[in-house]
Amino acid sequence: MKNLLIVVLFFISTVASAQIQQNNKSKLTIEQIMQNPDKWIGTSPSGIFWDEKGENIYFDWNPEMDTLSSLYSYSIKTKEIEKVPTAVKIKLPGKYGSYNSDKTQKVYTRNGNIFLLNIKKGTEKQLTNWLERASSPKFVLNDSQISFSKSNNLFLIHPETGLIRQITNFVTGEDKPERKSKGQGKWLEEQQKALFVVLNEREAMSKARKNQHENEKIKQPAKIYLGKKRLGGTSLSPSGKFVVYSTYQNPEGTKSTSVTQFVTESGYTEEKKARTKVGSEQPKVEMAVFDVDSNKVVKIKTDEIPGLKDQPDYLKDYPERISTDSSKIKNREVNLLGPVWNKTEDLAVVVALSLDNKDRWILLLNPATGKLDLLDRQRDEAWIGGPGIGGWGFSTGEIGWMPDGKSVWFHSEESGYSHLYTVNSETKEKKALTNGKFEVSQAFISNDKKHFYFNANKVHPGVNHLYKMPVWGGELTQLTSMEGNNEVTLSPNEKYLAIRYSYANKPEELYLQENKAEAKAIQITHSSTKEFNAYNWRVPEFITFEAEDGAEVHARLYRPESPEKQGPAVIFVHGAGYLQNAHKWWSSYFREYQFNNFLVDNGYTVLDLDYRGSAGYGRDWRTGIYRYMGGKDLSDNVDGAKMLVEKYGVSPKKIGLYGGSYGGFITLMAMFNRPDIFAAGGALRSVTDWAHYNHGYTANILNTPVEDSLAYVRSSPIYFAEGLQGALLMCHGMVDDNVEFQDIVRLTQRLIELGKENWELAVYPIEKHGFQEPSSWTDEYKRIFKLFEENLKK
């Protein structure tokens, strides 16, 4: 009787469990989760900024489901949200601009004209009224004047008198020297002068008039001919005596790819120029100084930057190219970026980045001489990068002068994680302000110059909080408390925090909090729709597991309430490489998050991990894919699959994976190299051969194909296609101008030539890298689900 009761209870439990799963299945459809997210999920507030008095928060929002978002405001006093009328919106002070030293005035542009705001009075003064466009207005000369750029030159305007003065005179093209006669022409001219006195007298008179004109002419800035170069930017020194300017030149003759558009308004195929490929010659940034008083250009000397002849470690694999004779080694080329001026002295900090991106030098520039003095050198045998550090070609990173006017603050990965440092410009003494196994980003100094504010994932790699710290280092005070992601916009008076907060299963909403530790954040907006909220979106389990080399891998795990023994599992592989997704906030991969919930409803266990190369875990994790994409990043996914089998009872024969872009690349590498682990894979908009991707991303990780062919061969799926055994689905947009359609076509031809049969290619004629149309998303994910259903549930 007892055994019979157990059997009956087991039967009831099984039926109930099956009914729950059946009900879960009916809650979501692929058509639902792939529809227009603004209509299905809702539109989260974005573009958050404050008014200058810190009384109102402005943000873009669309609670009424209009065609476009509108500007809204929230009043601190009334605690009410209002839609900002268009007539009011167009008269608001510019979101971006420059403040004077005590932040009582702000200068900004609107429709190309310059406006000055008295913050205390709330009055606005228009300084220019023209059809041309001014940009980059800044207070200079002890806040007495405003500099701005217009028509490729730098100007000053006096806000009281309105007087405008042109400081530079950049001219496109080359200086054309006066033509001088040669040969027969020269002989005839000399003969005429020898024969006719009047010609000599007239020439002397002409020269006298010219000299008189030059002496009486008002002094003008000397013409600076740019030739074929383009002006990058200009910046005036505190005294107004020097202008640092940068130029760049796009290389000539570099071949670009093109994208063919088949579905067009004209009915004809159309070609669109896209990009160059890795290894192509890149633009170079140069910097010089214009001495306003002497009216001359001062060249900046880069030859003495230390380490320009240093050779990279990867040449050990190519010993024939290693040179021991330093005289035969050419200096590596650098891009000079900046400047960041000292507030009171004519001294500036500039950043030099080597074109191979293995070095970052922070340098002190003397504008009078053009001399550079080393403050800090960061070298990475992989590539320079990390939060706040810049890299990737044309960024100085987060950097500035300390309140003492002598020291410079910056980010460095010297400890293995991105932290804040200072270096004294006189003594060269360096000091770490923060330390620990976490990363610091988006740092800035408070109004009173006594504290730093910055973001850090100190509590957990997947939790982002705002911190406050004494400006010269000390105890960190955590200001936000909500677990997840806290994107903070500080009010101008630093009394309040406007927080764009999200959690793993909750999209971004706007919150308000006093600028105090442990103060409660009050939710302002409610954006998600009733339809979206009707589903019980899962909070994944945040787990870690050990990789084959002992490293700790962070991941999200989604499991059915009653998992099937030896059931199926899917691994989602995020894209971009350097991106974090196993965090505790709302994912930028929100469609994939929803699809993962859908898969769990249908009996799948889903794993989403931050493999080697992902963001948020320090330098060694960031660079763990150097010279071998498809190495440790793939083995981390393999180890995740093994963990699912060993710890969660998943069938080793029923594991699939999917992902887009870099995730599609990993999917291909997995299907070609580890058919013993993965039975099916959905590779979306995938890189198939890194030699055909762009330069900025690829050259950092794999160097260039000519310089490091070994890295490209072992990192590119097209070389391993022969290993395909499981079921492969490939999806690609035909007008993708990032990972171009040619990539997947080349791999397709390779599969055909290899005689492979268990693969399918779905193409989307009007889609770029990131799909736009819900119908395309729906078709793609229906195919992925069908792939898993047919191959993981046998």
Side-chain angles (χ1 to χ4, degrees):
M1 187 68 180
K2 183 178 180 181
N3 291 339
L4 178 61
L5 180 60
I6 292 173
V7 170
V8 170
L9 290 174
F10 177 77
F11 175 77
I12 293 172
S13 174
T14 303
V15 170
S17 176
Q19 185 64 47
I20 289 172
Q21 291 200 28
Q22 182 63 40
N23 289 341
N24 282 344
K25 283 183 182 180
S26 65
K27 286 183 179 179
L28 285 180
T29 66
I30 292 178
E31 288 84 357
Q32 271 183 309
I33 60 181
M34 296 299 156
Q35 65 181 293
N36 184 335
D38 292 344
K39 305 297 183 184
W40 160 240
I41 301 174
T43 304
S44 293
S46 62
I48 297 164
F49 67 100
W50 290 83
D51 73 342
E52 297 304 328
K53 294 183 178 181
E55 297 174 348
N56 296 281
I57 305 171
Y58 292 96
F59 53 96
D60 293 318
W61 200 31
N62 193 6
E64 299 173 353
M65 299 290 182
D66 289 339
T67 304
L68 299 173
S69 294
S70 299
L71 186 67
Y72 285 77
S73 68
Y74 173 80
S75 169
I76 303 297
K77 292 181 180 178
T78 67
K79 297 180 172 55
E80 292 183 354
I81 296 176
E82 293 182 351
K83 190 174 183 178
V84 179
T86 302
V88 175
K89 177 183 175 181
I90 61 177
K91 292 184 178 180
L92 285 175
K95 185 190 303 187
Y96 307 104
S98 174
Y99 295 92
N100 63 352
S101 299
D102 58 7
K103 293 196 172 182
T104 58
Q105 295 185 93
K106 180 180 179 180
V107 63
Y108 48 90
T109 61
R110 184 190 299 137
N111 297 324
N113 282 292
I114 301 172
F115 292 80
L116 181 65
L117 176 70
N118 184 311
I119 294 174
K120 187 176 181 179
K121 295 180 180 179
T123 56
E124 182 183 75
K125 180 180 181 181
Q126 184 170 350
L127 301 182
T128 64
N129 187 8
W130 49 36
L131 297 179
E132 296 179 278
R133 300 193 70 84
S135 63
S136 306
K138 295 176 183 176
F139 286 95
V140 294
L141 301 175
N142 296 318
D143 298 337
S144 64
Q145 297 189 53
I146 294 165
S147 69
F148 64 93
S149 297
K150 182 176 72 72
S151 303
N152 241 12
N153 275 295
L154 186 69
F155 295 79
L156 286 179
I157 184 170
H158 197 292
E160 298 299 325
T161 66
L163 179 67
I164 296 176
R165 174 189 170 199
Q166 185 170 339
I167 304 299
T168 63
N169 189 11
F170 293 103
V171 180
T172 58
E174 305 286 351
D175 184 11
K176 296 180 180 179
E178 183 181 349
R179 279 190 173 185
K180 293 184 178 180
S181 301
K182 294 185 291 184
Q184 173 74 359
K186 184 178 181 181
W187 186 90
L188 289 174
E189 285 183 7
E190 291 175 349
Q191 183 200 40
Q192 293 294 90
K193 290 179 182 179
L195 291 175
F196 305 107
V197 174
V198 66
L199 294 180
N200 291 290
E201 292 175 346
R202 289 180 179 180
E203 181 183 30
M205 182 63 72
S206 176
K207 287 181 178 180
R209 288 195 185 103
K210 185 177 180 180
N211 289 334
Q212 184 183 49
H213 176 73
E214 289 295 323
N215 292 331
E216 293 175 354
K217 189 169 63 173
I218 297 174
K219 181 183 176 182
Q220 295 180 344
K223 290 183 178 180
I224 303 174
Y225 290 90
L226 297 175
K228 295 181 179 180
K229 299 175 183 177
R230 296 184 181 184
L231 187 67
T234 56
S235 183
L236 189 67
S237 71
S239 70
K241 293 180 179 180
F242 303 100
V243 177
V244 172
Y245 65 93
S246 60
T247 59
Y248 68 95
Q249 182 173 357
N250 291 319
E252 296 180 349
T254 301
K255 191 171 183 179
S256 294
T257 61
S258 65
V259 173
T260 304
Q261 301 180 71
F262 291 89
V263 181
T264 63
E265 292 182 2
S266 68
Y268 292 89
T269 57
E270 297 174 5
E271 292 294 319
K272 179 185 175 184
K273 186 177 180 181
R275 56 167 172 78
T276 60
K277 294 189 178 186
V278 60
S280 61
E281 189 179 356
Q282 297 299 301
K284 297 178 180 64
V285 179
E286 297 177 347
M287 188 178 283
V289 180
F290 175 60
D291 187 320
V292 177
D293 291 341
S294 69
N295 222 7
K296 294 180 180 179
V297 171
V298 179
K299 291 186 177 180
I300 296 178
K301 307 170 181 67
T302 61
D303 291 347
E304 296 181 4
I305 294 176
L308 289 179
K309 292 182 182 291
D310 289 358
Q311 299 177 86
D313 282 357
Y314 74 81
L315 287 184
K316 293 174 183 176
D317 286 343
Y318 310 93
E320 70 281 0
R321 287 163 48 196
I322 297 176
S323 177
T324 56
D325 185 352
S326 61
S327 65
K328 294 182 180 179
I329 302 174
K330 292 182 178 179
N331 281 348
R332 288 178 293 149
E333 294 183 285
V334 299
N335 285 332
L336 285 180
L337 309 168
V340 180
W341 287 107
N342 186 292
K343 295 295 183 183
T344 57
E345 297 183 64
D346 283 346
L347 288 174
V349 169
V350 297
V351 173
L353 288 175
S354 60
L355 263 60
D356 63 7
N357 211 14
K358 299 191 186 301
D359 276 281
R360 178 195 189 215
W361 297 269
I362 297 175
L363 304 154
L364 187 68
L365 170 65
N366 182 333
T369 63
K371 183 181 178 182
L372 296 171
D373 192 14
L374 180 67
L375 296 179
D376 182 69
R377 178 187 179 186
Q378 299 166 43
R379 180 168 177 83
D380 196 315
E381 284 297 338
W383 72 95
I384 293 292
I389 292 174
W392 306 100
F394 303 102
S395 171
T396 61
E398 295 166 13
I399 190 169
W401 287 88
M402 294 291 283
D404 67 349
K406 296 179 180 180
S407 299
V408 176
W409 66 268
F410 59 96
H411 287 256
S412 172
E413 284 186 320
E414 183 176 317
S415 69
Y417 294 81
S418 180
H419 281 289
L420 289 177
Y421 290 78
T422 62
V423 59
N424 187 291
S425 62
E426 296 176 353
T427 67
K428 308 301 188 293
E429 181 184 356
K430 186 165 72 171
K431 175 188 175 183
L433 300 182
T434 60
N435 63 83
K437 292 185 177 181
F438 61 91
E439 295 193 314
V440 171
S441 63
Q442 298 179 11
F444 62 94
I445 295 177
S446 62
N447 290 341
D448 62 9
K449 311 299 182 186
K450 294 180 180 180
H451 294 90
F452 265 109
Y453 288 100
F454 53 79
N455 293 339
N457 58 353
K458 185 174 184 291
V459 174
H460 181 278
V463 175
N464 186 39
H465 283 299
L466 179 70
Y467 290 85
K468 185 178 181 180
M469 178 189 73
V471 75
W472 291 102
E475 184 179 354
L476 274 61
T477 301
Q478 181 182 316
L479 296 175
T480 52
S481 59
M482 296 181 289
E483 186 178 47
N485 188 33
N486 295 271
E487 301 174 30
V488 177
T489 305
L490 196 61
S491 64
N493 54 21
E494 298 184 1
K495 290 183 178 181
Y496 294 100
L497 315 178
I499 308 171
R500 189 172 183 258
Y501 168 77
S502 70
Y503 190 57
N505 65 340
K506 296 177 182 178
E508 295 87 351
E509 296 289 1
L510 181 60
Y511 288 72
L512 176 67
Q513 178 189 315
E514 287 187 77
N515 186 6
K516 297 177 182 178
E518 300 181 359
K520 185 179 180 181
I522 307 300
Q523 185 171 349
I524 294 174
T525 61
H526 297 82
S527 308
S528 53
T529 66
K530 291 181 179 179
E531 294 78 11
F532 179 80
N533 292 334
Y535 181 82
N536 186 23
W537 297 102
R538 293 170 177 83
V539 176
E541 299 175 55
F542 300 101
I543 66 168
T544 60
F545 63 89
E546 188 175 299
E548 63 180 4
D549 61 356
E552 183 181 58
V553 183
H554 286 260
R556 288 179 165 198
L557 180 66
Y558 304 79
R559 290 191 293 164
E561 291 183 19
S562 301
E564 175 190 348
K565 290 184 179 180
Q566 294 293 292
V570 170
I571 295 178
F572 166 62
V573 189
H574 72 68
Y578 191 61
L579 177 146
Q580 188 178 18
N581 205 51
H583 48 58
K584 295 189 178 184
W585 61 82
W586 185 247
S587 175
S588 58
Y589 287 95
F590 57 87
R591 290 186 180 87
E592 289 75 7
Y593 166 78
Q594 295 175 87
F595 185 63
N596 291 341
N597 274 266
F598 173 82
L599 288 173
V600 175
D601 287 347
N602 286 274
Y604 293 85
T605 296
V606 180
L607 183 69
D608 171 3
L609 61 114
D610 279 339
Y611 50 83
R612 230 65 65 100
S614 298
Y617 305 95
R619 182 266 171 195
D620 290 349
W621 204 262
R622 175 180 69 81
T623 61
I625 57 175
Y626 178 58
R627 298 191 70 216
Y628 192 5
M629 292 194 263
K632 288 184 177 180
D633 45 4
L634 174 57
S635 66
D636 287 342
N637 282 277
V638 170
D639 292 336
K642 292 178 178 178
M643 181 269 299
L644 292 177
V645 173
E646 296 167 3
K647 188 173 181 179
Y648 296 100
V650 164
S651 170
K653 297 182 180 180
K654 298 179 180 179
I655 301 176
L657 77 168
Y658 79 101
S661 196
Y662 199 97
F665 152 73
I666 289 291
T667 298
L668 291 176
M669 291 294 271
M671 295 301 295
F672 295 164
N673 291 304
R674 297 309 303 264
D676 56 320
I677 300 293
F678 300 104
L684 323 174
R685 50 195 178 277
S686 315
V687 176
T688 69
D689 185 345
W690 288 107
H692 292 261
Y693 196 50
N694 68 34
H695 184 89
Y697 180 90
T698 319
N700 280 343
I701 304 171
L702 300 179
N703 303 306
T704 68
V706 172
E707 295 169 333
D708 198 359
S709 58
L710 292 175
Y712 280 81
V713 171
R714 67 185 173 200
S715 299
S716 297
I718 199 166
Y719 291 101
F720 303 98
E722 192 170 354
L724 177 63
Q725 294 181 25
L728 174 62
L729 167 67
M730 301 178 294
C731 300
H732 215 107
M734 294 181 72
V735 291
D736 190 334
D737 53 6
N738 182 1
V739 181
E740 295 175 6
F741 188 57
Q742 182 195 26
D743 244 47
I744 205 67
V745 172
R746 293 177 70 248
L747 178 60
T748 299
Q749 180 61 26
R750 180 76 177 141
L751 292 171
I752 292 170
E753 292 183 6
L754 289 169
K756 298 295 179 180
E757 297 179 354
N758 199 21
W759 59 273
E760 175 187 345
L761 172 62
V763 301
Y764 298 86
I766 63 170
E767 297 294 359
K768 294 185 177 182
H769 195 61
F771 286 10
Q772 294 293 318
E773 298 301 321
S775 57
S776 300
W777 283 108
T778 300
D779 181 88
E780 183 177 53
Y781 276 81
K782 278 187 172 181
R783 291 177 186 274
I784 298 169
F785 184 57
K786 181 182 177 183
L787 173 78
F788 294 150
E789 288 286 280
E790 291 181 350
N791 293 279
L792 303 182
K793 287 193 171 182
K794 293 180 181 177

